Amino acid sequence: MKIIFEYEEEKNTGHIQEEEEEDICIELPSDIVREELPIPNVNEIDVVRHYTNLSRMNFGVDIGFYPLGSCTMKYNPKVNEDAARAEGFSNLHPLSPEVCTQGSLKLMWELKEYLKDITGMDDFTLQPSAGAQGELLGVMMAKAYFRHKGEKRTQAIIPDSAHGTNPATASICKLETITVPSDSRGNMNIDRYREALSPEVALVMLTNPNTLGLFDENTIEISDLAHKNGTLMYCDGANMNALLGITRPGDQGFDMIHLNLHKTFSTPHGGGGPGAGVLGVKSFLSEYLPVPQVVKRDSVYSLDYTYKKSVGRVRSFYGNFGMHVRAYSYIHSWGTNIRKISEHAILNANYLQSLLKDTFDLAYNRQCAHEFVLSSKRFGQKSALDIAKRLMDYGFHPPTIYFPLIVPEALMIEPTETETKETLDRFVLALKKIRSELKEDPEMVKQSPLSTPVGRLDEVAAARRPNLRWRPSQRQTKVAVNEKSP
Ligand SMILES: *Cc1c(COP(=O)(O)O)cnc(C)c1O
């Protein structure tokens, strides 16, 4: 096959010599020439139905209740999407000159002001794209801080109820993790903590509320002891959903905190991104923040690259700006009522906890914050998995299971503030029904889900050897699926 490009050189009548008209022939290598594409010959309506059916095989917070603990799958108001799609924001080039981008710079600056107010911190960077990246930045900054002070500290204290990213981040930054166990109320064991503190400890990383959904009752004492030891306090604030307007980590002695805008501040997530794991710090750490920083001088906003001790960049440009717009819109629409978010999140979690604590076992019997953890241990090994799968047949997304690791057969439930009492009541009914099924027909529960497009998958194989070309004839599930499913 020969493709002929024909073009005519512009005829110059000036001082440049006139050139002859010319044909250029390019022979394409045969292996890149496709004779015929295997495109099916179908009606438009069949294409529409195919893709609409595919889209309905998925689950999202706009479809149903999504109590995935630690993930804060709240409803994301559509007004935030409108704001993020406004042309002035969505079509802006990140390298546009500052005189043309005053509105966007102002938005980032004001978002930082809001977050400072909410957390009690003195400065923020919006650059990190995920909670784990915010943590990475925080620990890099802590290391730079001690390096400048001429101190060599090599350890991080982390309770066993912390999110897994905390020890992962510490070890990626070459800090040795000292794990402190929880006490009978789900707090970090304070005596074991005292023993662990030494001049080697660079920072204490506290997920607060922790992964049991419990606020550490000794937070102030933990901070005081750390500071007396010259140790920094890091707060994993990915789940701020129980603290907004009620208490501020900055007032509890924390020196740094990362927030997940894609959890608490209602920017969509669950599909793998984009996210925003913004990091706030006390003023003595400000100069270590990444550059550029948005600053305001004489009512003019600009980007400052002169932070002398800056650890550099952790990503391109200014972070995921679209997420900043959504979070700004969300915070702005709540205004001084922001406390209501957390009050309702706490109320919903405690309502569910009180109705379910006798259905399954409550890991720690205490008022919870934004989430709580049940254990289905008395129904045997793998029962948490069976319950989670069966919930799908009742139209609910499963809770987080087998996390935190310190609770056997854990079901970690986070309803968020955006659910109604009716939805929560239906969820309770479903779980009570499943408990009866576990007693009366455990084999059926083990086969579930029975009504979803695919049945129970071999999850290890699905992760290691994903088959992305799924067709009905290739279905390898062990159970019969609903006749009606596509
Ligand atoms: C979700 C979460 C993280 C990690 O956030 P990513 O954005 O997924 O990196 C860290 N800590 C806690 C407590 C979390 O809930």
Side-chain angles (χ1 to χ4, degrees):
M1 182 175 157
K2 225 178 220 181
I3 295 176
I4 300 175
F5 296 99
E6 287 189 15
Y7 70 95
E8 209 175 296
E9 288 268 314
E10 215 177 293
K11 300 262 186 329
N12 284 301
T13 47
H15 19 264
I16 300 169
Q17 217 183 331
E18 203 169 285
E19 285 194 14
E20 286 286 286
E21 202 175 286
E22 196 182 355
D23 281 353
I24 300 175
C25 299
I26 302 171
E27 187 111 19
L28 290 179
S30 60
D31 57 342
I32 71 162
V33 177
R34 277 203 238 159
E35 291 300 324
E36 222 176 90
L37 290 175
I39 296 173
N41 191 6
V42 287
N43 290 337
E44 181 172 325
I45 188 162
D46 290 331
V47 175
V48 169
R49 283 181 183 155
H50 173 71
Y51 285 107
T52 306
N53 277 320
L54 281 183
S55 77
R56 288 165 59 166
M57 289 164 71
N58 212 339
F59 193 94
V61 79
D62 287 355
I63 290 179
F65 185 41
Y66 205 140
L68 192 66
S70 199
C71 297
T72 315
M73 305 305 288
K74 62 170 80 178
Y75 171 71
N76 305 303
K78 299 296 174 253
V79 65
N80 305 343
E81 296 302 312
D82 285 351
R85 283 169 176 74
E87 230 181 282
F89 291 136
S90 59
N91 286 341
L92 191 64
H93 193 283
L95 292 178
S96 306
E98 283 167 13
V99 286
C100 306
T101 60
Q102 285 296 300
S104 298
L105 294 174
K106 181 176 179 194
L107 182 139
M108 289 193 277
W109 189 83
E110 286 190 357
L111 176 58
K112 292 201 294 178
E113 292 300 302
Y114 284 157
L115 298 174
K116 279 157 64 174
D117 220 21
I118 288 169
T119 57
M121 290 290 156
D122 300 323
D123 208 345
F124 257 91
T125 172
L126 305 179
Q127 220 177 71
S129 305
Q133 201 183 21
E135 284 174 46
L136 178 67
L137 174 61
V139 178
M140 281 162 59
M141 285 172 61
K143 288 192 79 167
Y145 166 78
F146 287 117
R147 200 162 50 241
H148 278 106
K149 280 184 79 178
E151 289 182 32
K152 193 161 162 45
R153 294 181 180 243
T154 56
Q155 295 177 338
I157 291 183
I158 303 178
D160 64 359
S161 62
H163 193 270
T165 47
N166 300 178
T169 303
S171 72
I172 247 182
C173 291
K174 299 206 162 58
L175 291 180
E176 182 200 341
T177 298
I178 306 182
T179 307
V180 177
S182 301
D183 65 16
S184 59
R185 285 184 61 77
N187 297 318
M188 174 159 75
N189 185 315
I190 195 91
D191 296 328
R192 301 288 291 275
Y193 167 63
R194 277 176 204 275
E195 287 163 26
L197 263 181
S198 78
E200 288 292 301
V201 179
L203 73 171
V204 177
M205 296 182 86
L206 218 55
T207 301
N208 211 15
N210 62 25
T211 58
L212 299 161
L214 301 174
F215 189 85
D216 200 302
E217 295 165 308
N218 306 316
T219 301
I220 303 276
E221 192 181 348
I222 294 168
S223 297
D224 288 347
L225 288 168
H227 289 150
K228 280 200 196 104
N229 192 52
T231 297
L232 296 179
M233 285 292 292
Y234 185 96
C235 183
D236 179 339
N239 309 127
M240 261 295 278
N241 219 36
L243 308 188
L244 299 173
I246 295 174
T247 179
R248 307 194 311 168
D251 301 336
Q252 299 152 12
F254 286 102
D255 303 303
M256 303 185 190
I257 181 172
H258 83 265
L259 305 173
N260 281 21
L261 298 188
H262 49 287
K263 290 180 181 166
T264 310
F265 298 97
S266 184
T267 73
H269 61 299
V278 301
L279 182 79
V281 296
K282 284 288 173 63
S283 56
F284 71 96
L285 292 167
S286 195
E287 51 196 333
Y288 297 93
L289 285 169
V291 286
Q293 276 283 42
V294 186
V295 293
K296 180 185 181 185
R297 288 184 192 118
D298 305 328
S299 311
V300 176
Y301 300 91
S302 58
L303 294 167
D304 188 342
Y305 289 84
T306 62
Y307 279 48
K308 290 240 164 50
K309 296 176 180 165
S310 170
V311 295
R313 278 183 174 281
V314 288
R315 63 152 288 155
S316 57
F317 300 116
Y318 325 110
N320 281 323
F321 178 66
M323 297 299 119
H324 306 161
V325 180
R326 289 171 175 87
Y328 178 89
S329 161
Y330 180 69
I331 297 171
H332 201 70
S333 60
W334 278 94
T336 51
N337 284 327
I338 203 155
R339 182 185 170 107
K340 290 226 168 353
I341 298 174
S342 290
E343 286 176 351
H344 286 130
I346 295 169
L347 182 63
N348 276 1
N350 281 284
Y351 179 67
L352 273 189
Q353 174 175 283
S354 68
L355 292 178
L356 289 170
K357 69 178 178 189
D358 299 323
T359 311
F360 297 100
D361 294 316
L362 189 57
Y364 291 84
N365 195 357
R366 211 183 112 178
Q367 187 188 322
C368 67
H370 59 297
E371 66 191 355
F372 60 98
V373 182
L374 296 173
S375 168
S376 63
K377 192 174 149 208
R378 66 176 137 129
F379 293 93
Q381 272 210 335
K382 294 218 173 162
S383 56
L385 178 70
D386 294 338
I387 294 164
K389 297 293 182 192
R390 184 63 178 149
L391 267 171
M392 294 161 82
D393 286 330
Y394 289 100
F396 297 110
H397 193 286
T400 298
I401 50 174
Y402 299 101
F403 182 74
L405 304 175
I406 51 177
V407 178
E409 299 299 319
L411 295 150
M412 185 198 212
I413 299 172
E414 180 181 13
T416 85
E417 73 283 5
T418 57
E419 300 300 329
T420 61
K421 180 173 176 297
E422 288 73 20
T423 301
L424 301 182
D425 287 341
R426 279 195 298 115
F427 181 67
V428 170
L429 273 183
L431 274 175
K432 292 197 164 166
K433 184 92 197 303
I434 294 171
R435 193 184 69 154
S436 311
E437 290 171 348
L438 279 170
K439 288 179 182 155
E440 285 149 21
D441 194 357
E443 274 316 299
M444 182 274 293
V445 181
K446 289 216 171 301
Q447 304 267 304
S448 64
L450 305 173
S451 63
T452 49
V454 290
R456 197 172 296 201
L457 295 168
D458 177 340
E459 287 173 0
V460 176
R464 301 263 161 82
R465 285 179 279 115
N467 178 0
L468 303 177
R469 289 185 180 277
W470 178 81
R471 290 194 187 89
S473 59
Q474 296 178 332
R475 187 177 293 162
Q476 288 170 351
T477 50
K478 284 178 239 136
V479 293
V481 297
N482 189 332
E483 295 291 333
K484 274 183 279 167
S485 59

